[in-house]
Amino acid sequence: MPPKIASVASTKYDEHPDSSSRELFVEAAIDAFEETDLGPSDLDAVYVGNFMGDLIEDQGHMGALLADHVGAREVASIRIESACASGGATFRQAVHAVESGAADAVLAGGVEQMSIANIEHVTDALANAADDVYENEQGLTFPGIYALMARRYMHEFGARKEDLAAVSVKNHNNAVENPLAQFQKELTVDDVLASKPIATPLVLYDACPVSDGASVVIVVSEAFAADHSLDTSASVLGTGQSSDAVALQDRATITRTPAAERAAEEAYDEADTAPEDIDVVEVHDCFTIAEILALEALGFYGRGEGTRGAVDGETALDGKLPVNTSGGLLGKGHPVGVTGIGQIVELTKQIDGRHPNQVEGVNTALAHNVGGSGASTTVTILGGE
Amino acid sequence: MPKWFDSFTDTIESDEQQYLACETCGHGTLPPRRLCPACGSADLTREPLSKRGTVLSFTEISITIPKFHGETPYTVALVELDEEITLTGQLRDATADDIAIGDAVVLGTEPRDAGTAVLTFRPAEE
Ligand SMILES: [Zn+2]
């Protein structure tokens, strides 16, 4: 019997310069408790996805700290870190804890406070997701890694900067209707192309912003949901996770993301489903090229064809496969260790029929969360009743 | 920087650079590996590594990390050496406008602070 999602909540993703990780996390947790009449005493464990608390806030040990702040001081707690896939990995561990019978109710949350540091410091912290010696010490930045992938992809498949920009335009436009999104402004392809270079061929609007925020999902067993008369709609049909070399230079190819392919295969198998069964998708678009590579890795497009999604409108809200209806990382924001949990929040709302960009008839939804430039990837498939 | 990387860059300066070849599956890798990342074998032997390679991809970086503060813009290239070993380093004697994917380049090093070095690539002479 698949685990159920009892409740979900997110803070707005934005710059919250006067806040802190503990405040943001608790804000999301209280909303999640209130949504379903569950409280801290119902929890068996608190899992926290967080990437840079120790680098930005000098705060490690986030598991126990945040369990305490959500009123569950004595439960099992742990911080789970897999770079930008910390949230997806946290959710998957919560699902496994419930599936194994070890826990009946797990609060799986994520939190990140990034904007309080200056841009070089944040770029430096993000670079911790790469190979320090072979990449960072050579002057490579995190955007630079995706830029290397983007240029190679454009070379191999004839993609243009305009094709990358179409992803940014779509996701920014989706963000406008999402009250929890960081950007509330429509963009055109020309706006994207006119933004300043960060790591050629990528420009500012090919990249997600620096964001603060928190998201929380309460995962419960079916028996717990029944005992507590919980009104749950979303079930976890399948999850997958895989790894790859951290350094881009150690990969067999830089225009594919094999860890995502493996994670997707595992999740599709467990859910007994296939790409053509998926109604709505949240993918990890930290850079425009990342969404294109994700759509190919997940089996929605063949190699070199992923640009079609945004360029031809196939992944638009009214397209055949809406992708990143939340605004994605590009428009909604990317508080790094939170994002994988935030995707589950958005997809649960789609399944519930209460998303600000509601897609008609959502029954099966997929989330794809990436750490580093593809060295950690989780894929989650949710289903309705 | 870890000692193993300083040793690696020292060998490039003295033209004695090596890589690790897997005796079991043939995969090539770089120090400080003890196990082959392709097959898990511990049977790795040191083989000579050339300095010539071709550009797989490159990027001109405008926003950097504190260690490279004030050095932007600079270009980082991903280069596959003749032994199918790929390395990341900074472009010298040329800008991003001067190179293309597939161009031949030569591996070198450049001293940085505290006795460590950064990997560099220069356009190859014909
Ligand atoms: Zn081997």
Side-chain angles (χ1 to χ4, degrees):
Chain A
M1 287 191 292
K4 299 271 189 184
I5 294 177
S7 93
V8 299
S10 282
T11 66
K12 183 175 167 64
Y13 291 2
D14 206 341
E15 293 188 2
H16 293 283
D18 299 325
S19 194
S20 65
S21 283
R22 65 189 80 188
E23 291 168 276
L24 291 168
F25 193 85
V26 170
E27 181 184 333
I30 288 172
D31 285 351
F33 290 143
E34 286 179 350
E35 185 187 303
T36 192
D37 285 336
L38 289 178
S41 61
D42 294 307
L43 301 176
D44 296 317
V46 172
Y47 292 174
V48 179
N50 174 258
F51 177 54
M52 53 176 70
D54 34 17
L55 302 170
I56 299 283
E57 290 181 289
D58 284 335
Q59 184 63 66
H61 210 169
M62 286 277 195
L65 181 80
L66 297 178
D68 188 8
H69 277 267
V70 301
R73 182 175 287 181
E74 296 175 9
V75 304
S77 66
I78 188 168
R79 166 191 169 191
I80 292 168
E81 189 272 306
S82 285
C84 333
S86 297
T90 298
F91 179 74
R92 188 164 190 261
Q93 291 306 309
V95 168
H96 283 174
V98 169
E99 279 176 341
S100 74
D104 271 323
V106 181
L107 188 151
V111 67
E112 211 75 76
Q113 176 80 31
M114 301 169 67
S115 72
I116 52 174
N118 70 40
I119 187 65
E120 279 195 354
H121 188 180
V122 172
T123 305
D124 203 32
L126 287 170
N128 278 264
D131 184 314
D132 183 57
V133 176
Y134 278 120
E135 296 188 315
N136 305 337
E137 291 283 346
Q138 310 314 316
L140 193 55
T141 62
F142 200 64
I145 291 173
Y146 273 94
L148 291 170
M149 297 166 86
R151 188 184 303 278
R152 184 74 201 182
Y153 185 94
M154 292 163 75
H155 171 79
E156 288 185 17
F157 300 113
R160 307 166 308 153
K161 285 186 183 182
E162 289 82 354
D163 302 334
L164 301 186
V167 173
S168 184
V169 169
K170 168 179 73 75
N171 294 350
H172 276 93
N173 292 356
N174 288 349
V176 172
E177 292 301 318
N178 185 353
L180 299 179
Q182 187 162 354
F183 282 113
Q184 308 287 341
K185 181 170 152 254
E186 292 203 3
L187 289 180
T188 65
V189 167
D190 286 341
D191 291 334
V192 176
L193 295 179
S195 64
K196 67 181 183 197
I198 51 172
T200 61
L202 300 182
V203 293
L204 186 65
Y205 285 138
D206 281 308
C208 62
V210 169
S211 314
D212 309 322
S215 294
V216 160
V217 174
I218 300 178
V219 182
V220 298
S221 65
E222 198 156 277
F224 181 95
D227 287 349
H228 291 75
S229 305
L230 296 181
D231 182 22
T232 62
S233 56
S235 299
V236 185
L237 302 183
T239 69
Q241 183 169 358
S242 181
S243 305
D244 203 342
V246 167
L248 200 62
Q249 67 183 38
D250 290 338
R251 310 248 180 94
T253 162
I254 63 168
T255 56
R256 267 178 57 201
T257 51
E261 293 170 17
R262 290 187 288 266
E265 187 180 357
E266 188 182 3
Y268 284 133
D269 278 354
E270 190 177 317
D272 192 22
T273 188
E276 50 272 23
D277 302 323
I278 305 296
D279 300 314
V280 64
V281 181
E282 290 282 319
V283 301
H284 195 95
D285 58 327
C286 52
F287 297 90
T288 48
I289 184 65
E291 175 162 319
I292 292 163
L293 294 176
L295 295 177
E296 296 178 10
L298 295 167
F300 299 122
Y301 288 92
R303 278 200 80 191
E305 296 177 350
T307 51
R308 253 182 35 221
V311 170
D312 295 349
E314 293 174 353
T315 53
L317 285 180
D318 60 355
K320 64 175 186 179
L321 181 74
V323 173
N324 285 330
T325 67
S326 66
L329 286 55
L330 290 164
K332 184 191 179 197
H334 181 30
V336 175
V338 184
T339 289
I341 300 285
Q343 292 174 327
I344 303 298
V345 173
E346 298 290 337
L347 293 178
T348 299
K349 289 178 180 174
Q350 283 286 1
I351 287 170
D352 286 347
R354 58 185 172 106
H355 195 277
N357 282 319
Q358 185 64 43
V359 174
E360 287 303 307
V362 172
N363 192 51
T364 313
L366 182 148
H368 156 276
N369 185 204
V370 176
S373 52
S376 298
T377 306
T378 63
V379 172
T380 307
I381 298 173
L382 302 180
E385 301 288 14
Chain B
M1 289 288 265
K3 270 263 187 284
W4 60 261
F5 189 76
D6 291 338
S7 306
F8 180 62
T9 52
D10 287 348
T11 62
I12 292 168
E13 277 307 291
S14 58
D15 282 322
E16 290 164 355
Q17 67 281 356
Q18 296 178 319
Y19 74 107
L20 304 170
C22 177
E23 292 292 317
T24 305
C25 78
H27 185 82
T29 188
L30 287 166
R33 299 260 188 192
R34 298 282 300 277
L35 301 172
C36 172
C39 77
S41 167
D43 212 357
L44 306 181
T45 57
R46 289 180 177 269
E47 300 285 346
L49 179 65
S50 72
K51 283 188 183 178
R52 282 184 67 97
T54 57
V55 174
L56 281 180
S57 193
F58 61 97
T59 177
E60 185 179 77
I61 292 187
S62 304
I63 296 174
T64 190
I65 56 183
K67 187 180 175 80
F68 294 94
H69 178 83
E71 298 181 27
T72 56
Y74 60 87
T75 299
V76 172
L78 192 67
V79 170
E80 185 174 88
L81 300 180
D82 292 347
E83 293 77 15
E84 297 186 355
I85 295 290
T86 303
L87 277 169
T88 309
Q90 292 193 20
L91 188 66
R92 293 291 182 261
D93 298 346
T95 70
D97 294 334
D98 304 324
I99 61 163
I101 288 176
D103 281 1
V105 292
V106 177
L107 173 67
T109 69
E110 188 175 280
R112 283 192 70 90
D113 43 287
T116 68
V118 67
L119 297 176
T120 60
F121 296 106
R122 291 181 157 76
E125 312 275 333
E126 286 311 316

